[in-house]
Amino acid sequence: MPEHKVGTPEEFEAARQELLAEEKALTRRGDELARKRRELPWVPVGKDYRFETEDGPKALADLFDGRSQLLVYHFMFGPPYAAGCPVCSSIADTLDPNVVHLKARDVTLICSSRAPLDKLLAYRQRMGWSFDWVSTAGDDFHRDLGFLYTEDELRPFLEGGVPPTVSQMAEAAGTDVLGYVTEGPGLSAYALSDGTVYRTYITTARGLEPAMAYYALLDRAPLGRQEEGEQMHWLRRHDEYAVVTP
């Protein structure tokens, strides 16, 4: 445990009140951003995207499952993967138990990947999840949203020195680096109104942190995330931690 400032209860309370004021300001700013997010213009989805599901082929509108809102998590699980991305898997751990609560608010939440459906469902069973997972029929859906890259687009990254964490995640997914980074994670949102599907929001990278509940909790733990300078990522699939725990 590193050395840290030690104070009296009175000093802690004074500092805590100062921090609380900033936390409340951040909450109000978050509320403002949420309002602006809802006010983004809706874009009609004109392309006829198709998906393979447990119930057969479906169009994007069918994925709403009778509700008016749809959230799609774009899970990194490409055709050459042997298993899902460990980071995406940690996100799915958070998403899965929220599906029932979102349904109560007229929102359907699913995952979408490019791997064959049977491979996705087998992995879902291993992880103990129950959310609906679809396989994209073709590359357009993920590509059009910016979650699928070509080798030419990735060449500067690949030639610039691949970080050890990327190689680690590629190995964990059972593919090479190119196969791994061809996929990208993301979240997209849709509304269904009068038979028309509208895209309403899209995010990736740190925009996905609300679905990574462990980070919000680590930010409140005494030592925080402790990721600075780490050459290997600490995240594992939830059934793999016993393998690396001393």
Side-chain angles (χ1 to χ4, degrees), residues 76-85 115 119 173-176 179-184:
M76 290 176 63
F77 201 145
Y81 285 35
C85 165
K119 189 182 288 188
T175 186
D176 58 16
Y180 179 72
V181 298
T182 293
E183 311 295 326

Side-chain angles (χ1 to χ4, degrees), residues 169-192:
M169 291 299 163
E171 181 179 358
T175 186
D176 58 16
V177 169
L178 175 60
Y180 179 72
V181 298
T182 293
E183 311 295 326
L187 181 75
S188 56
Y190 304 86
L192 180 61

Side-chain angles (χ1 to χ4, degrees), residues 89-111:
S89 298
S90 73
I91 289 175
D93 286 337
T94 296
L95 298 179
D96 190 56
N98 280 289
V99 169
V100 64
H101 301 294
L102 292 171
K103 286 181 179 179
R105 300 303 296 170
D106 193 33
V107 178
T108 295
L109 170 65
I110 66 169
C111 285

Side-chain angles (χ1 to χ4, degrees), residues 66-139:
R67 300 176 186 85
S68 69
Q69 303 164 84
L70 174 68
L71 293 175
V72 179
Y73 179 70
H74 300 259
F75 194 118
M76 290 176 63
F77 201 145
Y81 285 35
C85 165
V87 178
C88 286
S89 298
S90 73
I91 289 175
D93 286 337
T94 296
L95 298 179
D96 190 56
N98 280 289
V99 169
V100 64
H101 301 294
L102 292 171
K103 286 181 179 179
R105 300 303 296 170
D106 193 33
V107 178
T108 295
L109 170 65
I110 66 169
C111 285
S112 172
S113 300
R114 294 196 312 122
L117 183 62
D118 58 349
K119 189 182 288 188
L120 301 178
L121 298 182
Y123 186 69
R124 185 183 68 177
Q125 183 177 12
R126 168 190 165 183
M127 293 289 99
W129 302 322
S130 60
F131 54 74
D132 288 334
W133 203 342
V134 303
S135 174
T136 59
D139 295 340

